[in-house]
């Protein structure tokens, strides 16, 4: 736990390797690499990528996973969100390395000229799409893993000006094409950050959402969200409210696709139940869910191993197949395969009315599948 927390401090600039003894050997973990400059980013993405799989896969029918991202544009690297379960911070750093607008437009031109291009640029984004062009104005070394939790840092330029310029430039480019070109932001945005700019949200909902927009509230309970380094749920509800209103003004029917995590360190079965109660009340049936997996370097992994929060407080750790399956089943309450497990748990909690509503939802979902 100590080595894990120490590594959290090894941000660029000034980070140092962390050495940990393990089984008679040593594990050496280097700090994130120095961020690329705009010129370096432009040079990298100006390389002549083919956007097709290697010919050796032709006999196997190609690679199906390439199609959803074949004509997407990476605008930047890095993420300063600092989510405790995520390791992007360690791979790409928390400092944002953005491409120039001219570089992004050049790639759009190359995509439009590709023989397989059908008119849709599937994504314009990065690890977090609305962090493009943002940077820290503080020149001193910073040891915070997140620039926006528990609140947005005063040194962060979080005004979305560069992102707005980029999206408007892409719209202008698309208008000049000989055929209709659709542009989407599909890689997901940080909803608490997006609330900073009404102009950005309006531009996004009016032109860059293909019916659905990914957002990641992750959970419902404040105590769990605090351990995730995520904003409380009322922030997501405010974002949902504004997204719906701006979509209505744009004359579009658009929906949010919320992501949730089950079994995160600190999440008790009672916390998972509170999330389920909210989902059932809203008639939400989330598909974008995942069971927490401890991955190397992430702060949540240290919590999982130690059983303690970063402050040293003992926390509940969901472990074992039974509880892990229960928390995932509660998220996917509408799946009839989860009925027996949910029934046993809710009966023990005296939640008979909720149980009846879930059973009704499962029966309806089964009829739709038929």
């Amino acid at each position: 736990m100590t080595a894990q927390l120490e590594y959290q401090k090894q941000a660029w600039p000034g980070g140092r390797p962390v050495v940990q003894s393990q089984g008679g050997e040593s594990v050496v973990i280097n700090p994130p690499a120095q961020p690329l400059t705009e010129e370096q980013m432009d040079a990298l993405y100006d390389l002549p990528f083919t956007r097709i799989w290697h010919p050796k896969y032709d006999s196997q029918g190609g690679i199906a996973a390439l199609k959803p991202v074949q004509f997407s544009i990476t605008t930047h690297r890095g993420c300063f969100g600092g989510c405790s379960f995520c390791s992007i911070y360690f791979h790409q750093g928390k400092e944002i390395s953005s491409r120039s607008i001219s570089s992004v437009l050049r790639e759009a031109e190359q995509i439009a000229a590709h023989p397989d291009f059908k008119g849709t640029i599937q994504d314009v984004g990065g690890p977090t799409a609305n962090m493009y062009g943002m940077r820290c104005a503080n020149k001193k070394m910073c040891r915070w893993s997140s620039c926006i939790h528990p609140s947005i840092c005063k040194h962060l330029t979080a005004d979305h000006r560069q992102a707005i310029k980029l999206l408007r430039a892409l719209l202008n480019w698309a208008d000049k094409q000989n055929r209709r070109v659709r542009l989407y932001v599909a890689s997901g945005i940080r909803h608490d950050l997006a609330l900073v700019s009404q102009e950005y949200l309006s531009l996004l909902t009016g032109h860059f959402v293909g019916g659905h927009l990914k957002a990641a509230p992750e959970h419902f309970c404040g105590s769990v969200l605090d351990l995730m380094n995520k904003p409380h749920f009322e922030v997501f509800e405010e974002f949902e409210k504004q997204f719906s209103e701006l979509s209505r003004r744009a004359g579009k029917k658009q929906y949010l696709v919320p992501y949730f995590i089950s079994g995160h360190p600190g999440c008790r079965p009672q916390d998972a139940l509170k999330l389920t109660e909210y989902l059932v009340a809203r008639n939400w049936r989330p598909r974008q869910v995942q069971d927490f997996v401890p991955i190397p370097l992430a702060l949540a992994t240290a919590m999982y191993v130690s059983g303690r929060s970063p402050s040293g407080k003992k926390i509940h750790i969901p472990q074992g197949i039974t509880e892990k399956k229960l928390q995932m089943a509660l998220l996917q309450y509408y799946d009839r395969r989860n009925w027996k497990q949910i029934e046993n748990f809710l009966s023990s909690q005296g939640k008979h009315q909720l149980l009846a509503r879930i059973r009704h939802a499962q029966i309806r979902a089964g009829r739709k599948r038929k």
Side-chain angles (χ1 to χ4, degrees):
M1 179 70 167
T2 301
Q4 182 71 48
L5 292 176
E6 186 63 29
Y7 185 72
Q8 300 286 321
K9 303 175 184 177
Q10 305 307 312
W12 170 268
R16 298 169 298 170
V18 172
V19 181
Q20 177 177 315
S21 297
Q22 187 70 39
E25 299 182 354
S26 296
V27 178
V28 180
I29 309 172
N30 290 312
Q34 179 178 352
L36 298 179
T37 65
E38 183 181 279
E39 291 75 17
Q40 290 171 328
M41 288 284 287
D42 288 358
L44 172 60
Y45 286 96
D46 277 343
L47 294 174
F49 296 105
T50 63
R51 298 185 181 274
I52 58 175
W53 52 75
H54 192 279
K56 72 178 182 179
Y57 295 108
D58 287 346
S59 61
Q60 302 174 34
I63 300 177
L66 175 64
K67 293 181 180 179
V69 296
Q70 185 177 16
F71 299 113
S72 62
I73 298 177
T74 298
T75 60
H76 62 283
R77 291 182 174 183
C79 181
F80 49 70
C83 299
S84 61
F85 50 81
C86 182
S87 62
I88 290 177
Y89 162 71
F90 306 107
H91 303 310
Q92 299 189 14
K94 72 172 184 178
E95 185 173 325
I96 305 301
S97 297
S98 299
R99 299 167 61 184
S100 67
I101 292 177
S102 59
S103 172
V104 174
L105 292 176
R106 284 197 299 273
E107 184 171 359
E109 288 282 0
Q110 293 168 0
I111 288 175
H114 196 284
D116 296 332
F117 182 62
K118 305 299 183 184
T120 300
I121 294 180
Q122 297 142 324
D123 184 27
V124 179
T128 303
N130 59 323
M131 290 184 183
Y132 173 82
M134 295 186 181
R135 59 180 63 250
C136 177
N138 186 9
K139 301 302 180 182
K140 297 180 180 180
M141 190 181 303
C142 175
R143 295 304 191 193
W144 289 99
S145 61
S146 176
C147 300
I148 52 181
H149 182 84
S151 60
I152 297 176
C153 177
K154 64 180 181 180
H155 297 295
L156 178 67
T157 56
D159 54 17
H160 289 81
R161 282 182 295 181
Q162 288 301 109
I164 291 169
K165 286 182 182 178
L166 173 64
L167 295 183
R168 291 199 182 282
L170 283 166
L171 286 178
N172 291 334
W173 168 81
D175 287 341
K176 296 175 183 178
Q177 302 306 300
N178 294 327
R179 58 173 170 172
R180 186 188 176 195
V181 176
R182 296 171 293 275
L183 297 147
Y184 297 132
V185 171
S187 52
I189 66 170
R190 182 82 183 208
H191 58 275
D192 51 339
L193 188 62
L195 286 172
V196 172
S197 174
Q198 188 79 4
E199 183 181 1
Y200 173 80
L201 259 182
S202 180
L203 185 61
L204 179 73
T205 55
H207 300 280
F208 291 90
V209 176
H212 296 85
L213 178 68
K214 297 176 185 176
E218 306 295 8
H219 211 274
F220 178 75
C221 297
S223 59
V224 180
L225 290 167
D226 288 340
L227 292 171
M228 291 178 167
N229 282 350
K230 296 288 289 190
H232 282 202
F233 200 78
E234 53 264 28
V235 178
F236 176 76
E237 290 180 312
E238 175 60 26
F239 175 78
E240 181 190 13
K241 177 182 176 182
Q242 293 196 25
F243 175 81
S244 298
E245 174 59 22
L246 290 170
S247 295
R248 186 191 64 79
R249 292 181 191 177
K252 297 184 176 183
K253 289 185 177 180
Q254 300 180 148
Y255 307 92
L256 293 177
V257 179
Y259 281 65
F260 293 99
I261 294 178
S262 68
H264 190 277
C267 182
R268 304 165 301 165
Q270 292 76 15
D271 298 318
L273 177 56
K274 288 179 182 178
L275 173 55
T276 300
E277 288 176 319
Y278 179 85
L279 295 175
V280 173
R282 293 289 307 272
N283 195 29
W284 278 5
R285 301 175 183 180
R287 304 286 180 180
Q288 304 291 345
V289 299
Q290 67 180 74
D291 185 33
F292 170 77
V293 176
I295 58 176
L297 307 180
L299 179 59
T301 301
M303 299 184 213
Y304 177 83
V305 173
S306 67
R308 296 187 180 275
S309 70
S311 66
K313 181 181 178 181
K314 191 172 181 179
I315 58 175
H316 175 76
I317 304 297
Q319 291 181 323
I321 294 177
T322 300
E323 184 180 351
K324 296 280 278 181
K325 281 187 174 181
L326 171 63
Q327 291 209 22
M328 176 60 82
L330 286 170
L331 271 178
Q332 297 180 318
Y333 67 89
Y334 51 85
D335 192 327
R336 299 175 74 172
R337 293 172 294 184
N338 297 327
W339 170 248
K340 197 63 182 176
Q341 194 169 22
I342 292 175
E343 180 185 32
N344 291 338
F345 176 68
L346 293 187
S347 295
S348 70
Q349 301 294 308
K351 297 286 185 177
H352 302 294
Q353 186 175 4
L354 177 62
L355 193 60
R357 294 185 66 182
I358 287 177
R359 188 55 171 164
H360 180 67
Q362 290 176 343
I363 292 173
R364 289 185 62 190
R367 287 172 179 167
K368 287 183 179 180
R369 281 196 296 268
K370 291 178 182 179

